[in-house]
Amino acid sequence: MFQPKIPTMPQPSGLVTPPAAVQPTTITPGTPAPAPAAAPEPSRPVVQLTPGTAFALVGAGTAVVLVVGTVLVSLLLAVAVTSASVAVCAVVLRSLTASDAKRR
């Protein structure tokens, strides 16, 4: 039951011809390829990083880090508050069921 079933290769039917022999060909030297022309100019201009743009990039990066950090801390705080409220509910329910059991 747990043994793999390996398919068998079917036997070829009809006449099978052997592959044709490949005859070697001679390579004749041709004319050399022409030298490439001068490299084309890049289509995009090169970005110059001035002190003002560097300051703007640093400010934008700092803002992104602060926003992402705020969102992550908010999510962590939401999880902590939820877990604390679930724990309080569990303690209250346990107390109610224990006091109900003592009355009977």
Side-chain angles (χ1 to χ4, degrees):
M1 180 174 149
F2 295 109
Q3 303 248 343
K5 295 181 181 175
I6 301 172
T8 58
M9 293 293 294
Q11 297 296 326
S13 60
L15 296 174
V16 178
T17 58
V22 177
Q23 298 295 331
T25 58
T26 58
I27 299 175
T28 56
T31 58
E41 292 292 322
S43 60
R44 293 186 341 187
V46 178
V47 176
Q48 296 289 332
L49 193 60
T50 62
T53 56
F55 183 71
L57 286 174
V58 168
T62 304
V64 167
V65 167
L66 289 176
V67 168
V68 170
T70 303
V71 168
L72 291 178
V73 167
S74 300
L75 288 172
L76 184 64
L77 185 62
V79 169
V81 167
T82 303
S83 61
S85 65
V86 167
V88 168
C89 288
V91 168
V92 168
L93 286 175
R94 184 176 177 190
S95 172
L96 288 175
T97 55
S99 64
D100 188 38
K102 287 181 181 177
R103 289 183 195 167
R104 290 185 181 193

